Amino acid sequence: MLRFSFFALILLIGCSDSREVRLQKFLLKGNIEAEARNFDQASYYFREALELDSCYIDAWNNLGTIYHLQKRYDEAVMQYTKALQCDSNFVLALINRANSNLELKKNELAIRDFEVVIGNHPDSIPILFSLGLAYNNMRQFDQAMKWYFKVLVIDKNNMEAMVNIGVTNYSLKEYDTARSYLMKTITSTEKSNAFNALALIEMEIGEYSLADEWIEKALSEKPKDPFFLNNRDILICFARIWTLRFWI
């Protein structure tokens, strides 16, 4: 998904200790502390900047990101909202608030912000993926696929979009369609997720030997992936139950 970043500072020209210079000094110090994960100290500097300018949107945004990194998502949303109350067109705060709301499973609120962003940046592939994810979370799979297909309009060879379309078709129990998209990606960097999804498809239709082959391929790419390991355990359990049916 989307990465958070602290607002970049412009270079300061001159040596006067003007209000603008002081604001950016606090922002710079806060960013340095945040990058070092000294969140309390970073928060102190951002709040010092806000004492000088209560609508300093970069400080509100960065304060929100500090809370997000600490998984204090409700508080993160509050800071991003304060930034947006000062500037409703501040794209970075819109994206960051949407991501925090995704973590809170407030998908409709996340979608609202992402749609504002995509309205102004229609070719933003990360936002298109985020909209797909939000609709997937709500199990509105047709809507999710709409956004993934928009990615393919921009980049027809986008492997991640093909995997997501395949996985979404799996959720819709459209196994043949799912398989056809996933098979297109098994030589790409997204192949481990494709292998895992193919295993789930074969498991669903009772083809446990094929499912085992796919999950082992997924684990050969990422041996410690907890989802792949969990799916292998489920497969082993299902296979044993299937075998026992012939002995009872």
Side-chain angles (χ1 to χ4, degrees):
M1 249 30 254
L2 291 177
R3 294 180 176 86
F4 288 80
S5 60
F6 292 96
F7 191 85
L9 286 170
I10 62 172
L11 292 175
L12 299 177
I13 300 174
C15 300
S16 63
D17 200 21
S18 68
R19 177 172 170 275
E20 183 62 26
V21 169
R22 291 168 65 198
L23 284 170
Q24 297 215 23
K25 281 183 177 177
F26 282 132
L27 196 65
L28 174 60
K29 289 178 179 179
N31 287 352
I32 290 170
E33 296 295 341
E35 291 293 337
R37 303 189 75 81
N38 297 324
F39 296 131
D40 288 342
Q41 192 62 38
S43 177
Y44 166 79
Y45 286 125
F46 294 144
R47 292 192 183 281
E48 285 293 298
L50 290 166
E51 286 292 319
L52 290 175
D53 181 354
S54 62
C55 252
Y56 193 30
I57 58 174
D58 306 325
W60 282 124
N61 176 73
N62 291 6
L63 196 57
T65 299
I66 284 175
Y67 285 126
H68 185 99
L69 292 171
Q70 296 176 88
K71 300 185 179 181
R72 297 161 64 179
Y73 303 120
D74 281 314
E75 292 167 276
V77 167
M78 289 173 60
Q79 314 313 311
Y80 297 135
T81 299
K82 287 177 180 176
L84 290 162
Q85 287 170 346
C86 294
D87 181 357
S88 61
N89 296 314
F90 188 20
V91 172
L92 189 55
L94 279 167
I95 294 170
N96 288 348
R97 184 171 70 175
N99 282 326
S100 290
N101 274 320
L102 278 182
E103 296 291 346
L104 292 166
K105 302 189 186 308
K106 295 181 179 179
N107 296 292
E108 291 181 353
L109 292 177
I111 287 168
R112 188 183 305 169
D113 283 342
F114 284 136
E115 286 184 337
V116 172
V117 177
I118 208 67
N120 295 308
H121 303 277
D123 293 336
S124 174
I125 287 177
I127 303 302
L128 293 172
F129 274 121
S130 294
L131 280 161
L133 173 63
Y135 278 108
N136 253 322
N137 290 345
M138 298 167 67
R139 302 189 66 77
Q140 294 185 26
F141 299 123
D142 288 333
Q143 281 292 317
M145 280 199 292
K146 179 184 82 172
W147 296 106
Y148 299 142
F149 276 117
K150 285 181 181 290
V151 173
L152 291 181
V153 170
I154 299 167
D155 176 8
K156 66 180 181 180
N157 295 315
N158 191 292
M159 294 295 107
E160 186 177 354
M162 290 185 191
V163 170
N164 287 5
I165 291 168
V167 171
T168 306
N169 273 292
Y170 162 77
S171 299
L172 289 167
K173 300 187 183 300
E174 299 286 346
Y175 300 132
D176 289 340
T177 304
R179 193 183 288 108
S180 70
Y181 275 99
L182 293 167
M183 290 298 292
K184 294 175 184 178
T185 71
I186 60 173
T187 59
S188 73
T189 56
E190 301 295 325
K191 59 187 173 184
S192 62
N193 290 324
F195 291 152
N196 180 63
L198 285 163
L200 292 175
I201 292 170
E202 301 305 339
M203 197 188 314
E204 193 74 26
I205 63 177
E207 294 288 347
Y208 298 121
S209 294
L210 275 175
D212 182 64
E213 290 179 21
W214 288 122
I215 200 65
E216 289 302 326
K217 286 182 178 180
L219 285 167
S220 70
E221 296 290 322
K222 295 182 179 178
K224 296 182 180 180
D225 188 288
F227 295 107
F228 300 171
L229 290 168
N230 181 65
N231 288 342
R232 183 177 63 181
D233 290 343
I234 293 171
L235 171 61
I236 291 169
C237 181
F238 278 9
R240 285 174 178 168
I241 292 170
W242 182 260
T243 302
L244 283 171
R245 289 178 61 188
F246 294 95
W247 291 92
I248 294 173

Coordinates of all heavy atoms in Angstrom, one line a residue, residues 114-115 118-119 121-132 135 142-158 161-162 164-165 181:
F114 N -10.2 9.4 -0.8 CA -9.5 8.9 -2.0 C -10.2 9.4 -3.3 O -9.5 9.7 -4.3 CB -9.5 7.4 -2.0 CG -8.4 6.8 -1.1 CD1 -8.8 5.7 -0.3 CD2 -7.2 7.3 -1.0 CE1 -7.8 5.1 0.6 CE2 -6.2 6.7 -0.1 CZ -6.6 5.6 0.6
E115 N -11.5 9.5 -3.3 CA -12.2 9.9 -4.5 C -12.0 11.4 -4.8 O -11.9 11.8 -5.9 CB -13.7 9.6 -4.3 CG -14.0 8.1 -4.5 CD -15.5 7.8 -4.5 OE1 -16.3 8.6 -3.9 OE2 -15.9 6.8 -5.0
I118 N -8.5 11.3 -6.4 CA -8.5 10.7 -7.8 C -9.3 11.6 -8.7 O -9.0 11.6 -9.9 CB -9.2 9.3 -7.8 CG1 -8.6 8.5 -8.9 CG2 -10.7 9.3 -7.9 CD1 -7.1 8.1 -8.8
G119 N -10.2 12.5 -8.2 CA -10.8 13.4 -9.1 C -9.9 14.4 -9.6 O -10.1 14.9 -10.8
H121 N -6.4 13.8 -9.6 CA -5.2 13.0 -10.1 C -5.7 11.7 -10.6 O -5.4 10.6 -10.0 CB -4.2 12.8 -9.0 CG -3.8 14.1 -8.4 ND1 -2.8 14.9 -8.9 CD2 -4.2 14.8 -7.3 CE1 -2.6 16.0 -8.2 NE2 -3.4 15.9 -7.2
P122 N -6.4 11.6 -11.8 CA -7.1 10.4 -12.2 C -6.2 9.3 -12.6 O -6.6 8.1 -12.7 CB -7.9 10.9 -13.4 CG -7.2 12.2 -13.9 CD -6.7 12.8 -12.6
D123 N -4.9 9.6 -12.8 CA -3.9 8.6 -13.3 C -3.0 8.1 -12.1 O -2.0 7.5 -12.4 CB -3.1 9.1 -14.4 CG -3.9 9.3 -15.7 OD1 -4.9 8.7 -15.8 OD2 -3.4 10.1 -16.5
S124 N -3.4 8.4 -10.9 CA -2.6 8.0 -9.7 C -2.9 6.5 -9.4 O -3.9 6.1 -8.8 CB -3.0 8.8 -8.5 OG -2.3 8.3 -7.4
I125 N -2.0 5.6 -9.8 CA -2.1 4.2 -9.6 C -2.2 3.8 -8.2 O -3.1 3.0 -7.8 CB -1.0 3.4 -10.4 CG1 -1.3 3.5 -11.9 CG2 -0.9 2.0 -9.9 CD1 -0.2 2.8 -12.8
P126 N -1.4 4.4 -7.3 CA -1.5 4.0 -5.8 C -2.9 4.3 -5.3 O -3.5 3.5 -4.5 CB -0.5 4.9 -5.1 CG 0.6 5.1 -6.2 CD -0.2 5.3 -7.5
I127 N -3.5 5.4 -5.7 CA -4.9 5.8 -5.2 C -5.9 4.8 -5.8 O -6.8 4.4 -5.1 CB -5.2 7.2 -5.5 CG1 -4.2 8.2 -4.9 CG2 -6.6 7.6 -5.0 CD1 -4.0 8.0 -3.4
L128 N -5.7 4.5 -7.1 CA -6.7 3.5 -7.7 C -6.6 2.2 -6.9 O -7.6 1.5 -6.6 CB -6.3 3.3 -9.1 CG -6.5 4.5 -10.1 CD1 -5.9 4.2 -11.5 CD2 -8.0 4.8 -10.2
F129 N -5.4 1.7 -6.6 CA -5.3 0.5 -5.8 C -5.9 0.6 -4.4 O -6.6 -0.3 -3.9 CB -3.8 0.1 -5.6 CG -3.2 -0.7 -6.7 CD1 -2.2 -0.2 -7.4 CD2 -3.8 -1.9 -7.0 CE1 -1.6 -1.0 -8.5 CE2 -3.3 -2.7 -8.1 CZ -2.2 -2.2 -8.8
S130 N -5.8 1.8 -3.8 CA -6.3 2.0 -2.5 C -7.9 2.0 -2.5 O -8.5 1.5 -1.6 CB -5.9 3.4 -1.9 OG -4.5 3.3 -1.7
L131 N -8.4 2.6 -3.6 CA -9.9 2.5 -3.7 C -10.3 1.1 -3.9 O -11.4 0.6 -3.3 CB -10.3 3.4 -4.9 CG -10.4 4.9 -4.6 CD1 -10.4 5.7 -5.9 CD2 -11.7 5.2 -3.8
G132 N -9.6 0.3 -4.7 CA -9.9 -1.1 -4.8 C -9.9 -1.9 -3.5 O -10.8 -2.7 -3.1
Y135 N -12.9 -1.0 -1.2 CA -14.1 -1.7 -1.6 C -14.0 -3.2 -1.4 O -15.0 -3.9 -1.0 CB -14.4 -1.4 -3.1 CG -15.2 -0.1 -3.3 CD1 -14.5 1.0 -3.9 CD2 -16.5 0.0 -3.0 CE1 -15.1 2.2 -4.1 CE2 -17.1 1.3 -3.1 CZ -16.5 2.3 -3.7 OH -17.1 3.5 -3.9
D142 N -17.3 -6.1 -7.1 CA -17.5 -5.6 -8.4 C -16.9 -4.2 -8.5 O -16.2 -3.7 -9.4 CB -18.9 -5.6 -8.9 CG -19.4 -7.0 -9.2 OD1 -18.6 -7.8 -9.6 OD2 -20.6 -7.2 -9.1
Q143 N -17.2 -3.4 -7.4 CA -16.6 -2.0 -7.3 C -15.1 -2.1 -7.2 O -14.4 -1.2 -7.8 CB -17.2 -1.3 -6.1 CG -18.6 -0.8 -6.3 CD -18.6 0.4 -7.3 OE1 -17.8 1.2 -7.4 NE2 -19.6 0.3 -8.2
A144 N -14.6 -3.0 -6.4 CA -13.1 -3.1 -6.3 C -12.5 -3.4 -7.7 O -11.5 -2.7 -8.0 CB -12.8 -4.3 -5.3
M145 N -13.1 -4.3 -8.4 CA -12.5 -4.6 -9.7 C -12.5 -3.5 -10.7 O -11.6 -3.3 -11.5 CB -13.2 -5.8 -10.3 CG -12.6 -7.2 -9.7 SD -13.0 -8.6 -10.8 CE -14.8 -8.7 -10.6
K146 N -13.5 -2.6 -10.6 CA -13.6 -1.4 -11.4 C -12.3 -0.6 -11.3 O -11.8 -0.1 -12.3 CB -14.8 -0.6 -11.0 CG -15.0 0.7 -11.9 CD -16.1 1.5 -11.4 CE -15.7 2.4 -10.2 NZ -16.8 3.4 -9.8
W147 N -11.8 -0.4 -10.1 CA -10.6 0.4 -9.9 C -9.4 -0.3 -10.3 O -8.5 0.3 -10.9 CB -10.5 0.8 -8.4 CG -11.7 1.7 -8.0 CD1 -12.7 1.3 -7.2 CD2 -11.9 3.0 -8.4 NE1 -13.6 2.4 -7.1 CE2 -13.1 3.5 -7.8 CE3 -11.2 3.9 -9.2 CZ2 -13.6 4.7 -8.0 CZ3 -11.7 5.2 -9.4 CH2 -12.9 5.6 -8.8
Y148 N -9.3 -1.7 -10.1 CA -8.2 -2.4 -10.6 C -8.1 -2.4 -12.1 O -7.0 -2.3 -12.7 CB -8.2 -3.8 -10.1 CG -8.2 -4.0 -8.6 CD1 -9.0 -5.0 -8.0 CD2 -7.4 -3.1 -7.8 CE1 -8.9 -5.1 -6.6 CE2 -7.4 -3.3 -6.4 CZ -8.2 -4.3 -5.8 OH -8.2 -4.4 -4.5
F149 N -9.2 -2.4 -12.8 CA -9.2 -2.4 -14.3 C -8.8 -1.0 -14.8 O -8.2 -0.9 -15.8 CB -10.6 -2.7 -14.8 CG -10.8 -4.2 -15.0 CD1 -11.8 -4.9 -14.3 CD2 -10.1 -5.0 -15.8 CE1 -12.0 -6.2 -14.4 CE2 -10.2 -6.3 -16.0 CZ -11.2 -7.0 -15.2
K150 N -9.1 0.1 -14.0 CA -8.6 1.4 -14.3 C -7.1 1.4 -14.3 O -6.4 2.1 -15.1 CB -9.2 2.4 -13.4 CG -10.6 2.8 -13.7 CD -11.1 3.8 -12.7 CE -12.6 4.2 -12.9 NZ -12.8 4.9 -14.2
V151 N -6.5 0.7 -13.4 CA -5.0 0.6 -13.4 C -4.5 0.0 -14.7 O -3.5 0.5 -15.3 CB -4.5 -0.3 -12.2 CG1 -3.0 -0.5 -12.3 CG2 -4.9 0.4 -10.9
L152 N -5.2 -1.1 -15.2 CA -4.8 -1.7 -16.4 C -5.0 -0.8 -17.6 O -4.2 -1.0 -18.6 CB -5.5 -3.0 -16.6 CG -5.2 -4.2 -15.6 CD1 -6.0 -5.4 -15.9 CD2 -3.7 -4.5 -15.7
V153 N -5.9 0.1 -17.6 CA -6.1 1.0 -18.7 C -4.8 1.9 -18.8 O -4.3 2.2 -19.9 CB -7.3 1.9 -18.5 CG1 -7.4 3.1 -19.4 CG2 -8.6 1.1 -18.6
I154 N -4.3 2.3 -17.6 CA -3.1 3.1 -17.6 C -1.8 2.3 -17.8 O -0.9 2.7 -18.5 CB -2.9 3.8 -16.2 CG1 -4.2 4.7 -15.9 CG2 -1.7 4.6 -16.1 CD1 -4.3 5.2 -14.5
D155 N -1.8 1.1 -17.3 CA -0.6 0.2 -17.4 C -1.1 -1.2 -17.7 O -1.4 -1.9 -16.7 CB 0.3 0.3 -16.1 CG 1.4 -0.7 -16.2 OD1 1.7 -1.3 -17.2 OD2 2.1 -0.8 -15.1
K156 N -1.2 -1.6 -18.9 CA -1.8 -2.8 -19.3 C -1.1 -4.0 -18.8 O -1.6 -5.2 -18.8 CB -2.0 -2.9 -20.8 CG -0.7 -3.0 -21.6 CD -1.0 -3.1 -23.1 CE 0.3 -3.1 -23.9 NZ 0.1 -3.2 -25.3
N157 N 0.2 -3.9 -18.4 CA 1.0 -5.0 -17.9 C 1.2 -5.0 -16.4 O 2.2 -5.6 -15.9 CB 2.4 -5.0 -18.7 CG 2.2 -5.3 -20.1 OD1 1.5 -6.2 -20.5 ND2 2.9 -4.5 -21.0
N158 N 0.4 -4.2 -15.7 CA 0.6 -4.1 -14.3 C 0.2 -5.4 -13.6 O -1.0 -5.8 -13.5 CB -0.3 -3.0 -13.7 CG 0.0 -2.6 -12.3 OD1 -0.2 -3.4 -11.4 ND2 0.6 -1.5 -12.1
A161 N -2.1 -5.4 -10.4 CA -3.6 -5.3 -10.7 C -4.1 -6.6 -11.2 O -5.3 -7.0 -10.8 CB -3.8 -4.2 -11.8
M162 N -3.4 -7.3 -12.0 CA -3.9 -8.7 -12.4 C -4.0 -9.6 -11.3 O -5.0 -10.4 -11.2 CB -2.9 -9.2 -13.5 CG -2.9 -8.5 -14.8 SD -1.9 -9.3 -16.0 CE -1.8 -8.1 -17.3
N164 N -4.7 -8.7 -8.2 CA -5.8 -8.3 -7.4 C -7.1 -8.7 -8.1 O -8.1 -9.0 -7.4 CB -5.7 -6.8 -7.2 CG -4.7 -6.4 -6.2 OD1 -3.9 -7.2 -5.7 ND2 -4.6 -5.1 -5.9
I165 N -7.2 -8.5 -9.4 CA -8.4 -8.9 -10.2 C -8.6 -10.4 -10.0 O -9.7 -10.9 -9.8 CB -8.2 -8.6 -11.6 CG1 -8.3 -7.0 -11.8 CG2 -9.4 -9.2 -12.5 CD1 -7.9 -6.5 -13.2
Y181 N -6.3 -14.8 -14.9 CA -5.5 -13.6 -14.5 C -4.3 -14.0 -13.7 O -3.2 -13.4 -14.0 CB -6.4 -12.6 -13.8 CG -7.2 -11.7 -14.7 CD1 -8.6 -12.0 -14.9 CD2 -6.7 -10.6 -15.3 CE1 -9.3 -11.2 -15.8 CE2 -7.4 -9.8 -16.1 CZ -8.7 -10.1 -16.4 OH -9.5 -9.3 -17.2

